[in-house]
Amino acid sequence: MQCHLQQYQRVHKGRQTSLLPLSGVLKSSLGLSKDVRKVSQVVKATHQILKDTASVKQYVNSNEALLKTLVNGNVSKLDAIRVEEVPDGKINYVYKVHGEGTSVVLKYAPPFVKIEGEDFKLSQERLRVESSALVLAREVCPEHTPSVLLYDPSASVLVTECLGLPLIRLSQGIAEKRVYHKFAEQIANLLSKQLFFTSRYFLDAKAFREKLAAFENREAVAANLNVVIDAPFDPQDRSNSVSPREDPFVDRIRSDQRVLDVVRHLRNLYVRRKEAIV
């Protein structure tokens, strides 16, 4: 780490990061249209769609590498394999797969946005980018990044180690009022290393351009804009689900100009600023 910092101070002292605009059919203000659907160039999936636990188990049972990890390759122990869905994903399907004393996380990227359905097409190339990003993140911060066990582009499947059980989602833990005493320190450690060592503050111009090209993921960016940032502010969007008693609170947020200004600012940063790999 010290030699990295010395190299940074020597080569990049005084350098300012630059704005790298993202082209394509993206709104410059906080809009609510589905124009991002028009820019997706999608190759039709030729493999099985892993939309439920049964299809995932079938895939696992046919994959020699996974069987070796989960049951040490012993096909007589296939019944010991359990699959459960992690329901929070909006873009992809995520599952926990349990074997004999070992568990892994399996992510499947369908040729569409999960929460929107098969009409919202999305390239499965996004999983290659995510796999490469995880490998890179583990290189710079192994203590807080799961290792990639398998990336199968033919099935659009990514498998990583499961970082401890029981695995409780952070959103669930916060809702349950759990206290994470080390969270601030750990997330700061992860983000500072990942952002710094993939930025123009550390990389020279050529290396930075190469990484920028390798991690280009425009369609996933467009999908995230639509599903994560824009959709919650659209009362007609079918992915929104709130109880009637929450309607007044939601309406106040959607009509609060201060909130909209902040969201518009953050949206603009997400689209236009490419200063590191995230």
Side-chain angles (χ1 to χ4, degrees), residues 27-28 84 86 93 107 124 145 148 213:
K27 300 176 290 300
S28 60
E84 60 176 306
V86 179
Y93 292 88
K107 175 176 284 190
Q124 293 168 300
T145 309
V148 173

Side-chain angles (χ1 to χ4, degrees), residues 56-261:
V56 171
K57 187 167 184 179
Q58 183 178 353
Y59 171 80
V60 171
N61 290 349
S62 66
N63 190 288
E64 184 177 343
L66 282 178
L67 289 179
K68 185 175 182 180
T69 298
L70 292 166
V71 293
N72 200 27
N74 191 341
V75 294
S76 66
K77 296 183 178 181
L78 294 182
D79 289 341
I81 296 176
R82 293 186 302 107
V83 181
E84 60 176 306
E85 184 175 1
V86 179
D88 279 1
K90 294 180 179 294
I91 307 293
N92 306 303
Y93 292 88
V94 181
Y95 304 90
K96 286 184 286 187
V97 184
H98 308 283
E100 285 201 324
T102 303
S103 296
V104 299
V105 175
L106 184 149
K107 175 176 284 190
Y108 167 67
F112 52 85
V113 174
K114 170 190 170 184
I115 198 171
E116 295 285 353
E118 298 186 17
D119 290 339
F120 197 138
K121 303 299 183 184
L122 186 62
S123 171
Q124 293 168 300
E125 173 72 2
R126 65 189 187 273
L127 203 61
R128 177 198 63 79
V129 177
E130 180 171 343
S131 174
S132 300
L134 271 175
V135 171
L136 178 61
R138 185 162 177 86
E139 288 179 359
V140 299
C141 192
E143 62 270 33
H144 297 311
T145 309
S147 60
V148 173
L149 303 176
L150 171 72
Y151 169 53
D152 181 0
S154 65
S156 196
V157 166
L158 172 65
V159 180
T160 66
E161 67 173 321
C162 187
L163 298 179
L165 290 172
L167 182 63
I168 300 175
R169 300 185 305 277
L170 180 62
S171 58
Q172 177 185 341
I174 292 174
E176 295 173 354
K177 299 183 179 180
R178 294 173 180 260
V179 178
Y180 296 94
H181 296 286
K182 297 182 179 180
F183 175 74
E185 176 184 351
Q186 292 173 348
I187 197 67
N189 184 26
L190 170 65
L191 290 177
S192 61
K193 289 179 178 178
Q194 182 176 347
L195 295 176
F196 174 73
F197 290 115
T198 63
S199 73
R200 294 191 67 176
Y201 284 110
F202 175 71
L203 299 171
D204 60 40
K206 181 175 182 295
F208 180 74
R209 287 195 300 270
E210 290 173 349
K211 287 199 180 296
L212 188 65
F215 287 90
E216 186 67 58
N217 203 10
R218 293 185 179 184
E219 292 183 9
V221 169
N224 274 316
L225 281 172
N226 199 66
V227 174
V228 179
I229 299 179
D230 291 349
F233 290 87
D234 182 2
Q236 304 303 319
D237 193 285
R238 62 183 179 180
S239 65
N240 290 323
S241 177
V242 296
S243 65
R245 67 180 181 180
E246 295 172 328
D247 283 342
F249 174 72
V250 173
D251 290 341
R252 285 199 303 272
I253 292 178
R254 287 175 176 161
S255 60
D256 190 325
Q257 191 57 49
R258 293 172 301 176
V259 173
L260 296 178
D261 288 343

